[in-house]
Amino acid sequence: MTDHALLLVNLGSPASTQVADVRSYLNQFLMDPYVIDLPWPVRRLLVSLILIKRPEQSAHAYASIWWDEGSPLVVLSRRLQQAMTAQWTQGPVELAMRYGEPSIESVLTRMAAQGIKKVTLAPLYPQFADSTVTTVIEEARRVVREKKLDVQFSILQPFYDQPEYLDALVASARPYLEQDYDHLLLSFHGLPERHLKKLNPGHSFEGGGDCCAGAPPEVVATCYRGQCLRTAAAFAERMGLPDGKWSVSFQSRLGRAKWIEPYTEARLDTLAKQGVKKVLVMCPAFVADCIETLEEIGDRGLEQFREAGGEELVLVPCLNDDPHWARALKTLCERAPLAL
């Protein structure tokens, strides 16, 4: 075994479903300037207002999907870590969370103390966004800089269009799509439009179509919405899905800002009113099931769909620790370029 470690990083989770733990987690998450990109005083005021009622609401939601082993996101990420240990033969495989525990700082510090000098940093996000990919990379760089660690990174790039990822997605979803259903909805996590326009001024979302149609690669490289649409289209093509059998939406809005559309809630209502009785929902922005998939879609989405006239909503599990995904992730991480 060499000293080239693999560090998997996912979003994170509260330590428990207690309101105090949820409040602490939400405070860390929402105070990240890559998540709420407002000046610190404004961000602090806004988050303080959110934290008046939101922790209790979120604690109830977490409790409804919490497993005996703990947070589904953390448990499933641990299982992926174990699966990757058999795949990654160059060194140890570690897991960190951007928010909550185990923190990126604690894991990197421990690895450096063990003499590890080369780390492939793997943010587990298929599509690029500052609020996911950039904040993980910048936090890792901060730790190395402030702790003066002798660590060199290779960094897994967004893999939304990589064949290995898409093939794993198809393999994991195929058993669900081979059953009878009326429509497949690919629901991605949402983002405020300003996050995308900040990276590409002049970017337009009018009309609701592909915002990156005909755009140069450098624009697509930082357009989360465009990357989501490409993931969905490539998946549908691999599965042989006809037009009209599938569509794309965006979930998990927070606050009053304009978020990228179409919204998942509106799409579920529309599908039900169009006569769709059985809808399958995939969430390809997530590689592990979490509160956004299990509770927001699996519970609230189902309830909403039925209230609108639908009958059955089937949540297709995320990649989690699927063997195809572990093999794909190994290949993707081996290609990760050295960070300059």
Side-chain angles (χ1 to χ4, degrees), residues 132-170:
T132 53
V133 175
T134 302
T135 189
V136 166
I137 295 170
E138 290 306 313
E139 173 65 6
R141 286 176 169 159
R142 179 197 69 79
V143 172
V144 168
R145 182 176 65 251
E146 293 185 2
K147 299 288 184 178
K148 296 181 171 55
L149 306 182
D150 183 16
V151 173
Q152 187 176 44
F153 289 117
S154 297
I155 300 177
L156 174 65
Q157 302 301 297
F159 45 88
Y160 68 97
D161 62 347
Q162 294 302 296
E164 295 85 358
Y165 161 67
L166 293 167
D167 289 345
L169 207 56
V170 166

Side-chain angles (χ1 to χ4, degrees), residues 93-113:
V93 178
E94 298 285 353
L95 174 69
M97 298 291 163
R98 176 60 186 91
Y99 314 105
E101 297 296 335
S103 68
I104 293 173
E105 180 169 332
S106 65
V107 175
L108 276 177
T109 303
R110 174 168 52 79
M111 291 166 71

Side-chain angles (χ1 to χ4, degrees), residues 9 12 28 57 66 92 126-127 132 162 205 215 272-273 286 291 294 326:
V9 183
Q28 185 188 10
Q57 297 167 347
W66 208 259
Q127 299 84 20
T132 53
Q162 294 302 296
F205 300 97
K273 289 168 183 172
F286 307 92
I291 192 169
L294 300 172

Side-chain angles (χ1 to χ4, degrees), residues 55-337:
E56 189 170 354
Q57 297 167 347
S58 294
H60 179 75
Y62 276 109
S64 72
I65 54 101
W66 208 259
W67 292 349
D68 290 343
E69 306 144 272
S71 159
L73 173 68
V74 176
V75 172
L76 290 165
S77 297
R78 287 281 185 212
R79 291 178 188 172
L80 177 62
Q81 177 193 6
Q82 292 167 5
M84 291 304 296
T85 299
Q87 297 283 339
W88 186 265
T89 58
Q90 303 175 55
V93 178
E94 298 285 353
L95 174 69
M97 298 291 163
R98 176 60 186 91
Y99 314 105
E101 297 296 335
S103 68
I104 293 173
E105 180 169 332
S106 65
V107 175
L108 276 177
T109 303
R110 174 168 52 79
M111 291 166 71
Q114 294 168 347
I116 293 171
K117 299 183 185 300
K118 295 171 67 177
V119 175
T120 290
L121 181 67
L124 294 175
Y125 305 103
Q127 299 84 20
F128 171 83
D130 273 343
S131 57
T132 53
V133 175
T134 302
T135 189
V136 166
I137 295 170
E138 290 306 313
E139 173 65 6
R141 286 176 169 159
R142 179 197 69 79
V143 172
V144 168
R145 182 176 65 251
E146 293 185 2
K147 299 288 184 178
K148 296 181 171 55
L149 306 182
D150 183 16
V151 173
Q152 187 176 44
F153 289 117
S154 297
I155 300 177
L156 174 65
Q157 302 301 297
F159 45 88
Y160 68 97
D161 62 347
Q162 294 302 296
E164 295 85 358
Y165 161 67
L166 293 167
D167 289 345
L169 207 56
V170 166
S172 70
R174 189 182 298 279
Y176 293 84
L177 273 72
E178 286 178 343
Q179 301 173 17
D180 288 335
Y181 67 97
D182 298 321
H183 192 86
L184 170 67
L185 182 62
L186 296 114
S187 178
F188 294 81
H189 199 287
L191 277 182
E193 283 188 0
R194 72 171 185 272
H195 281 213
L196 280 67
K197 289 181 176 179
K198 182 173 62 175
L199 296 170
N200 289 296
H203 214 47
S204 174
F205 300 97
E206 300 303 320
D210 185 353
C211 50
C212 287
E218 58 269 23
V219 171
V220 180
T222 55
C223 182
Y224 173 79
R225 188 177 184 277
Q227 291 184 8
C228 291
L229 295 178
R230 279 153 180 73
T231 297
F235 173 83
E237 182 179 3
R238 275 171 160 73
M239 283 299 306
L241 302 180
D243 290 346
K245 188 74 172 179
W246 63 278
S247 57
V248 173
S249 63
F250 298 90
Q251 63 181 88
S252 309
R253 282 179 294 158
L254 176 67
R256 299 177 181 177
K258 182 74 165 58
W259 286 52
I260 53 178
E261 294 182 310
Y263 300 141
T264 295
E265 304 99 305
R267 193 78 191 104
L268 285 173
D269 277 345
T270 299
L271 289 169
K273 289 168 183 172
Q274 289 174 344
V276 169
K277 296 303 179 185
K278 181 177 180 179
V279 64
L280 303 186
V281 183
M282 289 178 63
C283 301
F286 307 92
V287 299
D289 278 305
C290 52
I291 192 169
E292 286 87 355
T293 66
L294 300 172
E295 192 272 340
E296 185 177 352
I297 300 297
D299 292 341
R300 280 189 285 143
L302 169 60
E303 183 180 354
Q304 180 199 343
F305 184 61
R306 284 178 172 166
E307 287 178 354
E311 293 178 0
E312 189 177 359
L313 183 152
V314 177
L315 176 65
V316 178
C318 291
L319 290 166
N320 297 326
D321 59 342
D322 184 275
H324 294 92
W325 167 227
R327 290 193 293 270
L329 184 57
K330 174 205 174 189
T331 302
L332 293 168
C333 289
E334 286 176 342
R335 288 208 299 260

